[in-house]
């Protein structure tokens, strides 16, 4: 057997018995193993795994069958890692590394992937500014910020990157300055422009690993962004907040055969004629409530970071909708029983039916 270092993830708790009638308990989150009484070899193995040990020491020929079964179970549960323990640093994301072990057995790898990622955010407002803040504080080093607007005093109830002294400045410049105070070694690219055509995005000369759309104008912005992103093989996720609800997702990846036009066609088909009329008549709300913007921004940033670090998230292929008044959450695609369909070109004429796409992602 090759020599491999193995240890319990930092988020796994071991409670050894302190009385004769107690069992050894091993737990992570809501999941728990109860180990039978009186097997000192199992307790010794757990102690070794907490500290870190060469795998052959606890799984080799000298180990009993009970110890080998325990290691197999821990491996199947995803409670073991072959990574060395994280060494604490002064980085803003230092406490985050341990959290990654809730979703992967390689938390250090996840953090390094985040640090290597290139991200672009369109719209540095009530959602985008907070998303950018989360990304930089969480370890993203390369971030492009795209917005044509300037900071206004009424932005300050929800756009926490900005201060009163920033009023009148381009949002991207003020945001880049504020983000620069969070970490060293950042590559921040403020781009002061409005995205109206696909070639407006050609300013992203190094295609990002994720493009986040947090602007609400123009109305066809997501169509424009997806048309550009599909040709560049760039994943895209959008987010927005209204008066009573907000959404994030779907996160769509052209390499997985995702299609924004298919998703939007399917959603529109489910609306009644009156709902479509109201949607077309309504524009972005001029009103805002900081905490509800923060909720959607937090959830968008969560999924963006998960996608970049471990390749999966709740909004992958699914728009997530949150009632920010009643605090009810429902994945839009799950509610309707469909998911993201195979890639296809945008329809040149309005569709005659409402197709259900059988091929999806999970």
């Amino acid at each position: 057997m090759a020599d491999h270092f193995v240890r319990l993830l930092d988020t796994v708790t071991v409670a050894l018995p302190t009385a004769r009638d107690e069992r050894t308990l091993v737990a992570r989150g809501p999941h728990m193993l109860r180990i039978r009484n009186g097997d000192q070899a199992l307790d010794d193995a757990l102690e070794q795994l907490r500290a870190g040990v060469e795998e052959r020491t606890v799984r080799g020929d000298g180990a009993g069958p009970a110890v080998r079964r325990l290691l197999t179970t821990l491996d199947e549960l995803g409670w073991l890692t072959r990574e060395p323990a994280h060494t604490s640093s002064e980085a803003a994301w230092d406490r985050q590394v341990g959290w990654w072990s809730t979703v992967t057995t390689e938390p250090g790898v996840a953090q390094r992937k985040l640090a290597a990622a290139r991200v672009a955010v369109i719209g540095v407002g009530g959602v985008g500014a907070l998303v950018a803040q989360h990304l930089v504080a969480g370890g993203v080093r390369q971030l492009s910020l795209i917005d044509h607007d300037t900071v206004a005093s009424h932005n300050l109830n929800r756009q926490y990157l900005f201060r009163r002294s920033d009023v009148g400045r381009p949002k991207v410049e003020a945001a880049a300055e504020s983000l620069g105070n969070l970490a060293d070694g950042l590559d921040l690219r403020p781009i002061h422009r409005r995205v109206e055509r696909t070639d407006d995005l050609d300013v992203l000369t190094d295609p990002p690993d994720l493009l986040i759309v947090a602007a609400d104008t123009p109305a066809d912005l997501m169509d424009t962004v997806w048309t550009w992103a599909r040709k560049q093989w760039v994943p895209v996720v959008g987010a927005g907040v209204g008066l009573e609800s907000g959404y994030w997702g779907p996160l769509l990846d052209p390499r997985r055969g995702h299609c924004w036009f298919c998703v939007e066609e399917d959603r529109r088909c489910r609306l009644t004629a009156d709902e479509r009329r109201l949607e077309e008549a309504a524009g972005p709300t001029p009103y805002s409530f900081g905490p509800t913007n923060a909720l959607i921004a937090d959830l968008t940033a969560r999924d963006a970071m998960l996608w970049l670090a471990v390749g999966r998230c709740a909004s992958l292929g699914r728009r997530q909708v949150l009632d920010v008044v009643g605090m009810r959450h429902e994945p839009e695609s799950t509610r309707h029983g469909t998911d993201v369909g195979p890639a296809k070109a945008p329809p040149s004429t309005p569709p005659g039916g409402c197709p259900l796409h059988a091929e999806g992602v999970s």
Side-chain angles (χ1 to χ4, degrees):
M1 177 181 296
D3 290 348
H4 292 293
F5 177 87
V6 64
R7 64 182 179 89
L8 287 169
L9 287 167
D10 296 326
T11 48
V12 175
T13 300
V14 178
L16 296 174
T18 57
R20 292 185 62 184
D21 60 343
E22 289 183 342
R23 293 188 175 195
T24 296
L25 305 177
V26 186
R28 191 179 78 167
H31 307 290
M32 180 170 62
L33 291 178
R34 295 180 178 88
I35 299 175
R36 67 173 181 264
N37 297 342
D39 196 330
Q40 187 61 44
L42 293 176
D43 290 349
D44 291 344
L46 287 169
E47 287 281 30
Q48 290 176 310
L49 289 169
R50 282 205 289 191
V53 64
E54 298 236 345
E55 191 162 358
R56 65 177 179 177
T57 302
V58 287
R59 201 194 285 272
D61 295 338
V67 172
R68 288 196 290 271
R69 283 197 301 272
L70 173 64
L71 263 71
T72 297
T73 299
L74 293 172
D75 244 341
E76 290 173 348
L77 289 169
W79 293 3
L80 296 179
T81 181
R82 274 73 185 174
E83 285 190 347
H86 170 64
T87 301
S88 295
S89 70
E90 295 299 316
W93 45 259
D94 184 70
R95 296 294 183 92
Q96 181 174 283
V97 178
W99 185 88
W100 286 122
S101 66
T102 64
V103 294
T104 177
T105 60
E106 298 180 316
V109 171
Q111 187 61 45
R112 289 192 292 274
K113 285 183 178 179
L114 200 60
R118 294 190 303 271
V119 183
V121 177
I122 300 176
V124 189
V127 173
L130 287 175
V131 169
Q133 189 171 356
H134 276 300
L135 293 174
V136 170
V140 170
R141 292 291 170 265
Q142 303 175 71
L143 183 65
S144 296
L145 304 168
I146 305 174
D147 200 309
H148 71 288
D149 206 358
T150 56
V151 179
S153 58
H154 61 74
N155 297 149
L156 303 182
N157 76 319
R158 64 199 184 279
Q159 300 177 22
Y160 307 126
L161 282 179
F162 307 132
R163 300 291 180 264
R164 290 174 59 187
S165 58
D166 292 321
V167 171
R169 298 180 64 193
K171 284 185 176 181
V172 292
E173 293 180 7
E177 182 178 303
S178 181
L179 292 169
N181 293 322
L182 290 176
D184 297 323
L186 300 178
D187 180 5
L188 300 174
R189 304 180 184 184
I191 302 168
H192 189 224
R193 70 168 52 188
R194 179 179 173 89
V195 176
E196 295 181 315
R197 305 181 306 274
T198 56
D199 57 7
D200 289 330
L201 290 168
D202 290 341
V203 67
L204 299 172
T205 53
D206 295 321
D209 300 300
L210 182 62
L211 181 52
I212 300 170
V213 182
D216 51 20
T217 60
D220 62 350
L221 176 61
M222 195 66 181
D223 294 354
T224 300
V225 170
W226 178 254
T227 299
W228 180 87
R230 184 179 56 183
K231 294 178 181 178
Q232 302 290 334
W233 301 103
V234 171
V236 176
V237 63
V241 189
L243 284 176
E244 298 186 2
S245 67
Y247 74 91
W248 71 104
L251 193 154
L252 303 175
D253 183 358
R255 296 184 184 279
R256 296 189 178 215
H258 293 174
C259 170
W260 160 251
F261 297 105
C262 309
V263 171
E264 185 62 3
E265 173 191 322
D266 196 45
R267 185 191 68 82
R268 293 272 298 170
C269 281
R270 293 193 185 96
L271 300 178
T272 66
D274 287 345
E275 287 171 334
R276 281 195 289 271
R277 285 182 58 207
L278 285 171
E279 183 176 276
E280 290 163 3
T285 177
Y287 312 114
S288 65
F289 184 53
T292 60
N293 279 267
L295 282 171
I296 299 303
D298 293 347
L299 293 165
T300 304
R302 171 194 179 274
D303 276 15
M305 293 167 73
L306 282 166
W307 166 253
L308 293 166
V310 299
R312 61 184 186 276
C313 62
S315 61
L316 179 59
R318 300 174 184 270
R319 173 174 284 180
Q320 306 289 326
V321 180
L322 179 66
D323 173 353
V324 297
V325 177
M327 292 306 294
R328 292 182 296 271
H329 162 248
E330 193 168 5
E332 192 172 81
S333 58
T334 298
R335 178 176 62 204
H336 296 301
T338 62
D339 215 321
V340 178
K344 63 179 182 179
S348 56
T349 58
C354 299
L356 296 181
H357 306 296
E359 297 181 40
V361 299
S362 59

